[in-house]
Amino acid sequence: MKTYMTPEEHARLHRRRARQALGLLIAVLALVGIVTVVRAGVKGVATLFDDTQQKAEYEDRLEGLVLFDPLPFNGIENIDDLTLREAAVWGCVYSIQETQGGFDNYNTDPDTEQLLLPSVDVDAYLAKLVGPSFKLTHKSFEMDDMTIEFDETTQCYKIPVTGSVGIFRATVTRLFKKDGLLHVTVGYIPTQSSDDSILNNLSDTPTKYMDYLFSRQSGSWYLTGLTDSETKPESADSAASAAEPAPLAESEVNDAILATAGDSAAASAVADEAAPADEAAESTPAESTPAESTEASSESPAA
């Protein structure tokens, strides 16, 4: 029996199906929206607690100072003058190499082929580190194995061609605030071996840690001090002792001695039991058998 639908019922069926499709579409869009919001929230929280970029920025800013291992100081005006000049010039050189990939945009001295580093670039580097209010009086200075000459005419430092300078490179391991100051914990990684003969770039293990202190000025953080860090390097003695096997306890030593003695006694007993059998086996071929005696007696008359 066939069932017939009126035009009104047919129209209601189409409207019902359209509402169902629309509801399904809205549910799918809502689900997609919820997933998107959750993912954005997770990413935002991860970004909030991820300070990798900040650490890299402070490594660049402090590289020049870490190169020359400055002594602790309280107030940038109390830092050693030579150390500050070394850090300013060589930190600027390293920063240019890191950000620009080379010195193609800089002039060189036509006679010595030394790099000409403008003092304004050094000022800009220092301004990022210690603040724009600090002013450095530019002049030539002596290092351990070279002279950095400042040309008053060109207002440029003449940088000798050299492989590397400094004895450490920086790795920032921690950022935290204490007593209104930002503490930047820096690990000092040696760039040379203990005898200063060969480069040692294979090790990334810091040999010591220092905290660089930054104070907030006009919305930015600027260097104001240097102090010893609570973070300490892993002791070489403890690492060596960890690699060595732990000594046996006295009871374990006694057990080992008894076990060795027992094994020796058992081996001796087996050797004693085996000795008579070996002697009997060796003496048997030397005795005459009855068959051999009979054959010998029967052969005698014939002879």
Side-chain angles (χ1 to χ4, degrees):
M1 180 177 179
K2 295 183 178 180
T3 301
Y4 296 95
M5 298 179 63
T6 63
E8 293 80 3
E9 292 175 336
H10 191 71
R12 284 199 299 271
L13 179 62
H14 276 283
R15 289 196 296 271
R16 186 183 306 116
R17 289 177 178 175
R19 289 194 297 270
Q20 290 174 345
L22 179 61
L24 179 61
L25 178 61
I26 292 174
V28 171
L29 292 177
L31 180 60
V32 171
I34 292 173
V35 172
T36 302
V37 170
V38 170
R39 290 181 62 184
V42 171
K43 185 177 180 180
V45 171
T47 303
L48 182 62
F49 289 96
D50 185 11
D51 57 359
T52 303
Q53 184 175 355
Q54 285 182 297
K55 289 180 178 178
E57 291 175 356
Y58 279 102
E59 281 181 9
D60 293 338
R61 293 170 68 179
L62 294 170
E63 188 72 41
L65 277 173
V66 175
L67 284 171
F68 302 101
D69 190 17
L71 296 174
F73 59 89
N74 183 16
I76 194 63
E77 67 279 0
N78 296 320
I79 190 174
D80 177 70
D81 183 74
L82 176 59
T83 301
L84 181 60
R85 292 182 185 279
E86 291 175 332
V89 170
W90 288 105
C92 183
V93 170
Y94 277 70
S95 178
I96 292 171
Q97 192 171 15
E98 183 71 20
T99 57
Q100 302 182 26
F103 305 99
D104 296 337
N105 299 326
Y106 290 82
N107 296 324
T108 57
D109 186 274
D111 298 326
T112 63
E113 297 186 353
Q114 293 177 330
L115 172 69
L116 298 180
L117 180 66
S119 59
V120 292
D121 286 13
V122 178
D123 289 335
Y125 175 82
L126 271 180
K128 291 173 58 179
L129 179 62
V130 299
S133 60
F134 184 85
K135 300 300 180 183
L136 179 68
T137 302
H138 297 289
K139 62 181 181 180
S140 303
F141 59 92
E142 297 282 342
M143 296 179 61
D144 290 340
D145 54 356
M146 70 182 73
T147 299
I148 305 299
E149 181 183 351
F150 181 70
D151 189 339
E152 294 286 351
T153 304
T154 61
Q155 289 291 299
C156 289
Y157 286 96
K158 295 182 179 181
I159 308 301
V161 179
T162 180
S164 63
V165 296
I167 56 177
F168 292 104
R169 59 187 177 91
T171 177
V172 175
T173 60
R174 187 185 178 198
L175 302 173
F176 65 97
K177 294 178 181 178
K178 182 178 179 181
D179 299 331
L181 297 176
L182 174 64
H183 289 239
V184 180
T185 302
V186 179
Y188 283 56
I189 300 176
T191 59
Q192 294 180 328
S193 61
S194 58
D195 59 359
D196 296 334
S197 59
I198 58 174
L199 292 179
N200 182 23
N201 292 326
L202 299 179
S203 175
D204 289 330
T205 303
T207 57
K208 73 171 185 175
Y209 293 86
M210 300 291 288
D211 277 5
Y212 286 81
L213 310 180
F214 287 77
S215 62
R216 195 170 183 85
Q217 305 172 24
S218 304
S220 300
W221 294 96
Y222 297 112
L223 181 66
T224 188
L226 173 64
T227 185
D228 293 329
S229 176
E230 296 178 354
T231 304
K232 302 301 178 184
E234 183 177 346
S235 172
D237 294 337
S238 62
S241 62
E244 295 178 356
L248 294 175
E250 184 177 355
S251 59
E252 294 176 331
V253 173
N254 293 334
D255 292 341
I257 294 174
L258 293 176
T260 304
D263 293 341
S264 301
S268 300
V270 171
D272 293 340
E273 292 177 358
D278 294 339
E279 293 175 356
E282 293 175 355
S283 61
T284 300
E287 297 178 356
S288 299
T289 61
E292 292 174 348
S293 302
T294 305
E295 291 176 358
S297 59
S298 60
E299 290 175 356
S300 298

